[in-house]
Amino acid sequence: GEDVEQSLFLSVREGDSSVINCTYTDSSSTYLYWYKQEPGAGLQLLTYIFSNMDMKQDQRLTVLLNKKDKHLSLRIADTQTGDSAIYFCAESRSGGYNKLIFGAGTRLAVHP
Amino acid sequence: DTGVSQDPRHKITKRGQNVTFRCDPISEHNRLYWYRQTLGQGPEFLTYFQNEAQLEKSRLLSDRFSAERPKGSFSTLEIQRTEQGDSAMYLCASSPPRGDGSTEAFFGQGTRLTVV
């Protein structure tokens, strides 16, 4: 199947860490991506990870990949109000012209 | 601004009318994608161009939908005989060729279509 699943909503306090989770079903996924969408704006690529890696860190963002369980997570350290947005997990596969298959998105709400 | 540009940003049309959207990708990007996004959902793939060749079409793309990318530059997406179910945000993305097989897709802000 082509399912990418995410929890729909996450609420965190400013300054705490946020962890957004994603599961996917296709073992032929080659790359996994995290996109951010703010109201009225296009999708912004945050980071991506090759399926042979298990971790990638980029400033406040840490991506963890458990290929065996087909589980991907995005950790945002020191979450700020500007991080409030919808976060989409996506995958691409070899032989699929690199098209992206997205989850339904997780809405992150950051409160004081 | 050298990002992906889409026009128009909003379109309201009556059921049964034809509409056409335009996408101008980032100039050095040879890959161009169209996606559709409905409220509360992630983007769904519609079609893919590599240069001027349309290499893949989703089964979501019914006979009423057609896309072109003449000369491998801008692209158009036309919907004929629009239906209320076509109401959605239509997103265009472009990406450069990548030797590692990844897709660094840059998205436009989309065209929001409302069919009344």
Side-chain angles (χ1 to χ4, degrees):
Chain A
E2 295 194 347
D3 288 338
V4 176
E5 295 190 353
Q6 304 177 236
S7 51
L8 293 182
F9 187 75
L10 176 66
S11 178
V12 299
R13 191 183 302 274
E14 191 174 12
D16 287 352
S17 292
S18 308
V19 179
I20 302 171
N21 294 301
C22 170
T23 57
Y24 59 99
T25 57
D26 200 303
S27 56
S28 67
S29 298
T30 52
Y31 285 90
L32 295 123
Y33 307 79
W34 284 104
Y35 277 82
K36 178 183 181 183
Q37 187 175 42
E38 295 177 274
L43 284 97
Q44 174 194 356
L45 177 63
L46 292 177
T47 186
Y48 64 94
I49 187 168
F50 184 48
S51 59
N52 279 354
M53 298 171 62
D54 51 22
M55 188 181 92
K56 181 178 181 180
Q57 187 152 3
D58 184 0
Q59 300 182 344
R60 292 191 298 123
L61 305 179
T62 303
V63 178
L64 295 178
L65 174 61
N66 182 327
K67 192 172 183 180
K68 174 176 171 290
D69 293 339
K70 300 187 182 68
H71 182 266
L72 182 75
S73 68
L74 174 70
R75 178 178 180 270
I76 305 172
D78 186 25
T79 313
Q80 302 298 308
T81 54
D83 295 323
S84 295
I86 301 176
Y87 291 80
F88 291 95
C89 168
E91 61 169 351
S92 63
R93 301 167 191 167
S94 59
Y97 294 116
N98 306 106
K99 68 174 183 271
L100 300 172
I101 298 165
F102 286 86
T106 299
R107 181 178 294 276
L108 174 65
V110 182
H111 57 88
Chain B
D1 180 39
T2 57
V4 177
S5 176
Q6 291 189 246
D7 183 70
R9 293 289 307 279
H10 303 273
K11 178 72 177 178
I12 299 174
T13 191
K14 291 184 178 179
R15 190 175 52 184
Q17 297 295 304
N18 299 344
V19 294
T20 300
F21 310 141
R22 178 181 170 119
C23 171
D24 287 274
I26 295 171
S27 59
E28 62 268 24
H29 289 185
N30 67 334
R31 300 177 180 175
L32 187 145
Y33 305 82
W34 284 97
Y35 289 82
R36 181 172 68 187
Q37 186 178 21
T38 53
L39 196 62
Q41 298 298 317
E44 295 175 295
F45 170 77
L46 292 179
T47 191
Y48 165 68
F49 289 86
Q50 185 163 308
N51 300 310
E52 68 277 7
Q54 187 176 22
L55 297 184
E56 188 173 358
K57 292 195 293 185
S58 163
R59 58 182 178 273
L60 293 175
L61 216 63
S62 75
D63 292 346
R64 297 183 298 105
F65 288 71
S66 62
E68 294 182 343
R69 192 184 183 195
K71 302 178 183 177
S73 55
F74 71 93
S75 176
T76 57
L77 177 68
E78 181 184 16
I79 309 174
Q80 296 182 326
R81 304 181 303 282
T82 51
E83 302 173 355
Q84 286 188 318
D86 297 331
S87 295
M89 178 75 85
Y90 289 85
L91 298 168
C92 177
S94 68
S95 68
R98 295 287 293 262
D100 64 0
S102 64
T103 300
E104 188 179 4
F106 292 80
F107 281 80
Q109 292 188 291
T111 294
R112 182 171 294 284
L113 173 66
T114 303
V115 181
V116 297

